[in-house]
Amino acid sequence: MSKIVFTLLLIGFLPLVAMSAEPKRELLWPAGAPGAKGDTDNDKPTITIFLANGANKTNCGVVVLPGGGYGHLATGHEGVDIANWCNSFGVSAFVVEYRHRGRGYAHPAPIQDAQRAIRTVRARADEFGVSPDKIGVMGFSAGGHLASTAATHFDAGDTKAADPIDQVSCRPDFAILCYPVIALDQPFTHRGSQKNLLGENPDKELVKSLSNESQVTSDTPPTFLFHTSEDTGVPPQNSIVFYEALQKAKVPAEMHIFAKGRHGVGLAANIPGTSAWPKLCEAWLAGQGMLSTKTETGK
């Protein structure tokens, strides 16, 4: 095959290849985050915008919350890698570097930042090329706890707020929870995450309110969960109790517990069996009607 023909073939196929725009990092709170303790980078949570840009682009967006035990953030394999995976099947991703104990912050700073990110994407949906009713949240480990908090603690926004971002809902339209921390004050609780989020001796009612399997209602969005049996850091019982609560509330849910993989596998690319989770998640999103294109919906 000649180089010219090969080049033309490549050019012909380029529109079919998933593409993304250059990521753009912005402050979540340009005027200063609520409860900020200073004016350093630690006090300024950010959102990095990875917009899908190709023939397979959908009008779906997902806010990504990396894990790290509420003490640091695994922004590589649970942030940038996840955003690039989302872009590969046409979903725009928004990776949040939220405040946590390592930056000097505890509750409620993480959920304030997560809710702000969801509101930001919804308020700027036209700019980002997503539909305001196809914006989900995805979290890993402690980021999974934060995502489950966003899925069970939300409001419709304040229509009288001066900031247009505050006027819109922070309820996610779906949730993807990856080996999540869920239950607090239980034998299978990840104690490090609980301590970093709430301190040594938190109020019992606060603990209960953030043990998110107890906060599921019929308004909780459809949820996809995955975990591994070999996860000793955050045992799979966390996903199981949340799934059971979703079932009881009649919320559409899908859960996969794979045999292999330690805690923190990310995309699990080289782990037999567990490496299937990204395709299963993509299929689940399609089944939820989240992967339609702008051409199909007219939005």
Side-chain angles (χ1 to χ4, degrees):
M1 183 183 295
S2 72
K3 289 185 178 180
I4 294 175
V5 172
F6 184 65
T7 301
L8 288 173
L9 285 173
L10 282 177
I11 292 171
F13 279 112
L14 277 177
L16 300 179
V17 176
M19 302 173 67
S20 60
E22 189 68 25
K24 182 181 179 183
R25 193 164 178 255
E26 298 182 359
L27 293 177
L28 261 181
W29 309 86
K37 299 177 180 181
D39 195 38
T40 70
D41 287 347
N42 283 342
D43 306 299
K44 299 175 181 179
T46 62
I47 184 170
T48 303
I49 302 159
F50 295 75
L51 298 182
N53 183 23
N56 68 344
K57 174 178 167 53
T58 72
N59 55 0
C60 180
V62 61
V63 170
V64 179
L65 305 171
Y70 284 119
H72 69 279
L73 294 177
T75 53
H77 74 293
E78 294 174 356
V80 174
D81 289 355
I82 300 305
N84 288 330
W85 165 68
C86 289
N87 285 173
S88 75
F89 60 97
V91 171
S92 293
F94 306 83
V95 179
V96 182
E97 293 184 46
Y98 53 90
R99 290 170 291 170
H100 51 75
R101 182 71 67 174
R103 292 185 170 191
Y105 290 88
H107 178 77
I111 187 58
Q112 288 174 333
D113 295 344
Q115 290 176 335
R116 173 74 174 186
I118 295 167
R119 293 191 211 274
T120 295
V121 177
R122 184 163 282 129
R124 297 168 61 185
D126 285 347
E127 174 189 345
F128 295 145
V130 299
S131 174
D133 61 355
K134 292 182 180 177
I135 297 167
V137 66
M138 181 178 194
F140 296 77
S141 190
H145 180 268
L146 185 54
S148 73
T149 306
T152 52
H153 300 69
F154 48 79
D155 61 65
D158 180 1
T159 57
K160 297 180 180 178
D163 186 343
I165 291 175
D166 289 333
Q167 295 176 12
V168 301
S169 169
C170 62
R171 179 187 181 273
D173 297 303
F174 60 87
I176 300 170
L177 309 181
C178 308
Y179 41 90
V181 176
I182 294 290
L184 303 184
D185 239 8
Q186 297 297 321
F188 51 89
T189 294
H190 186 253
R191 294 289 171 174
S193 293
Q194 178 172 327
K195 180 181 176 182
N196 282 337
L197 182 65
L198 300 179
E200 287 280 5
N201 298 296
D203 178 80
K204 289 185 178 181
E205 287 304 310
L206 180 60
V207 171
K208 183 178 179 181
S209 73
L210 293 173
S211 193
N212 291 322
E213 82 286 358
S214 67
Q215 303 301 314
V216 171
T217 71
S218 59
D219 291 328
T220 302
T223 303
F224 177 98
L225 304 102
F226 100 86
H227 228 112
T228 62
S229 293
E230 293 180 344
D231 190 339
T232 57
V234 179
Q237 285 91 334
N238 283 273
S239 284
I240 291 169
V241 295
F242 199 78
Y243 176 80
E244 289 176 337
L246 293 165
Q247 287 289 95
K248 185 176 180 180
K250 295 181 170 33
V251 174
E254 181 169 317
M255 179 176 65
H256 298 272
I257 299 180
F258 298 96
K260 299 295 182 181
R262 59 172 176 76
H263 185 68
V265 297
L267 289 169
N270 299 312
I271 303 175
T274 312
S275 61
W277 88 258
K279 277 296 182 185
L280 290 169
C281 184
E282 181 182 342
W284 177 80
L285 283 169
Q288 294 296 314
M290 292 293 162
L291 301 186
S292 58
T293 66
K294 286 185 175 293
T295 300
E296 290 168 342
T297 63
K299 290 184 180 180

